[in-house]
Amino acid sequence: MDHFQLRGGELYAEDVPLRAIADAVGTPVYVYSRATLERHARVFREALEGLGRVHLAFAVKANPNLAVLKVLARQGYGADIVSGGEMVRALAAGMRAEDIVFSGVGKTPVELAQGLDAGIGQFNLEHEEEGHVLSALAAARGQRVSATLRVNPDVDAGTHEKISTGKADNKFGVPIDQAPAMYARLAALPGLRMRGVACHIGSQLSNVDPLEAAYVKIGRLITELRSTGQAVDRADLGGGLGVRYRPEDPAPWPTDLGAMVARVTKGWDVELMFEPGRVIAGNAGVLLTKVIWVKPGVTHPYVIVDAAMNDLARPALYGAYHHFEAVRPSGERMKAHIAGPVCETGDTFAMGREIDAVKSGDLAIFRTAGAYGATMASTYNSRPLVPEVMVDGDRFAVVADRISAETVMNAERVPDWLQN
Ligand code: LLP
């Protein structure tokens, strides 16, 4: 459930008409609902109640906006980070260093050292050499740092190939059959305290079966590790729960995950860790845009909106669907293509879709844009970086400025030898 609903014929974010945000901030603009974020954070947490010790780490990559992280920090969430930049944000938002998990297949030695200096709670190792480097850095600081080994369970997540991470040939984790010997070698290093294993098989999963297949393998691995005398007291089960992009999409509920995890992890006797991203933030945000033109086309008209692939990359990157709705729907419908102003055919949000009838100047939204939306934006075509707004009841605030093309340009330099 979200708080972007029609009231008296126009779309609101909580108690704020989206029109008022467009008037004040301009378009395109991302709009987040604090109440929706809080609701999703609560529902996810409640779905896992009864599992014993549970640690929740919001996947910062899904939405790293400081205000968003602040809302989640207040809901008791830590962070799952994959870069030094995400670490800075999570700490700035008030997340405790010990509640932060450092994931990522390409953590640099500099980032590992930054994480140690900040007191990050857990490092999820992606391969053995990384463990040796982390151990040396930690030992040099007189530290013994908590770590898990990320395993690749070779399970097909059944999602888009670009966001699947758990097949044997994907770049993530270590092959599960090599994990026991590697774990033992890592556990013997002076700077590491090996706590357990981690896995994440992909994102936007439409049901929990692939997760179950992966967790069953993790359970067997934990038993094997313990049988060889290794200590295991944590299992990081990653993120991946899908959300509804189309109203009719199948989407697992957090309670489906909770019930499955309760069944599969019975007797594991570990702290369970989760790294949800999309399920928390996805439907807590929309991209508000304005129709620039409705241009006649050969099969259908082109609705040209002022948002583009640089603002919301998912359709161009993954062929992803984002539901389009007029802010003041007339009740009329039309069949149209929806595209942005960027000079690429890939800058197309939909082809031949039945949508609310719109005309030049109308406001509209793309739904389910709160995760992997603004964070993946760029300034391609020298467009400004899209701003972000958070709504809280009847008030709203700009939580990220629109960065103008001039500001971006001002970070560039023309060398002396090109001056004349
Ligand atoms: N943990 C790890 C180690 C991850 O790699 C990810 C996402 C998550 C947690 C959070 O997954 P979630 O709960 O959000 O599914 N840009 C793509 C999604 C990339 C996901 C990358 N990893 C998209 O727009 O669909």
Side-chain angles (χ1 to χ4, degrees):
M1 200 223 115
D2 63 64
H3 291 264
F4 299 96
Q5 304 291 340
L6 281 171
R7 275 194 204 172
E10 71 174 307
L11 271 172
Y12 275 64
E14 303 190 19
D15 300 328
V16 177
L18 286 172
R19 180 178 34 87
I21 295 174
D23 286 348
V25 186
T27 54
V29 56
Y30 279 92
V31 181
Y32 308 131
S33 151
R34 175 182 176 173
T36 310
L37 276 170
E38 287 177 346
R39 185 188 143 77
H40 292 172
R42 197 173 57 245
V43 165
F44 192 82
R45 188 179 50 239
E46 286 172 1
L48 304 176
E49 264 164 20
L51 289 177
R53 285 171 295 149
V54 167
H55 180 269
L56 299 175
F58 175 65
V60 172
K61 64 175 81 67
N63 191 324
N65 181 278
L66 269 185
V68 169
L69 297 183
K70 185 99 193 164
V71 168
L72 296 171
R74 288 195 183 180
Q75 288 292 312
Y77 279 65
D80 163 57
I81 59 165
V82 292
S83 69
E86 288 190 350
M87 180 179 85
V88 169
R89 285 173 171 276
L91 292 171
M95 281 154 170
R96 297 186 317 163
E98 57 263 42
D99 291 336
I100 298 178
V101 176
F102 209 148
S103 304
V105 71
K107 301 186 252 350
T108 64
V110 169
E111 287 174 317
L112 292 172
Q114 284 169 345
L116 289 171
D117 292 339
I120 293 306
Q122 177 176 302
F123 292 79
N124 289 352
L125 301 174
E126 290 266 354
H127 66 121
E128 188 166 353
E129 188 185 358
E130 183 188 18
H132 285 272
V133 171
L134 179 64
S135 171
L137 290 166
R141 288 167 169 72
Q143 295 179 16
R144 208 161 156 233
V145 68
S146 288
T148 68
L149 183 60
R150 177 170 178 181
V151 296
N152 184 323
D154 194 19
V155 166
D156 187 350
T159 181
H160 192 280
E161 59 170 87
K162 289 191 183 168
I163 55 176
S164 289
T165 51
K167 286 291 290 170
D169 208 23
N170 293 146
K171 65 179 174 177
F172 299 99
V174 302
I176 196 159
D177 53 331
Q178 295 175 20
M182 202 179 289
Y183 194 94
R185 291 194 293 273
L186 291 167
L189 296 176
L192 298 186
R193 178 169 172 217
M194 292 305 291
R195 307 294 298 262
V197 288
C199 87
H200 171 80
I201 61 167
S203 194
Q204 183 53 16
L205 271 65
S206 56
N207 70 76
V208 299
D209 297 348
L211 290 172
E212 175 163 358
Y215 299 167
V216 166
K217 291 187 174 188
I218 295 292
R220 286 196 207 116
L221 175 61
I222 292 174
T223 307
E224 188 177 344
L225 288 170
R226 285 185 174 143
S227 72
T228 57
Q230 296 300 333
V232 176
D233 68 348
R234 289 183 182 170
D236 186 337
L237 301 180
L241 223 52
V243 299
R244 282 201 171 84
Y245 283 93
R246 291 179 179 79
E248 68 276 16
D249 271 353
W253 291 100
T255 45
D256 299 333
L257 178 72
M260 181 274 282
V261 171
R263 189 157 37 77
V264 174
T265 67
K266 212 170 172 181
W268 282 16
D269 188 26
V270 293
E271 178 176 11
L272 295 172
M273 309 175 78
F274 297 88
E275 302 169 349
R278 191 187 317 260
V279 70
I280 306 291
N283 277 311
V286 300
L287 175 58
L288 178 59
T289 185
K290 187 181 270 177
V291 177
I292 311 176
W293 309 109
V294 179
K295 177 187 165 182
V298 175
T299 50
H300 303 292
Y302 269 96
V303 172
I304 310 285
V305 294
D306 67 359
M309 64 187 286
N310 70 297
D311 306 305
L312 176 62
R314 303 191 69 260
L317 264 181
Y318 318 116
Y321 178 102
H322 284 266
H323 205 61
F324 181 86
E325 281 172 48
V327 165
R328 292 186 79 110
S330 63
E332 302 281 306
R333 306 280 289 169
M334 69 194 283
K335 203 158 187 187
H337 310 312
I338 310 169
V342 161
C343 297
E344 283 199 31
T345 300
D347 184 25
T348 300
F349 293 104
M351 290 299 284
R353 192 188 290 179
E354 193 189 303
I355 56 171
D356 290 333
V358 287
K359 55 183 186 325
S360 319
D362 284 356
L363 293 171
I365 59 166
F366 290 104
R367 281 193 183 264
T368 322
Y372 308 110
T375 181
M376 292 171 67
S378 74
T379 59
Y380 185 40
N381 274 208
S382 291
R383 290 166 52 84
L385 201 57
V386 61
E388 298 161 86
V389 160
M390 184 177 284
V391 173
D392 176 33
D394 62 2
R395 60 184 173 176
F396 67 91
V398 175
V399 294
D401 291 343
R402 190 184 309 280
I403 310 287
S404 72
E406 288 79 9
T407 302
V408 174
M409 184 179 73
N410 286 340
E412 297 170 17
R413 303 279 173 265
V414 177
D416 291 348
W417 39 267
L418 277 181
Q419 292 292 0
N420 43 34

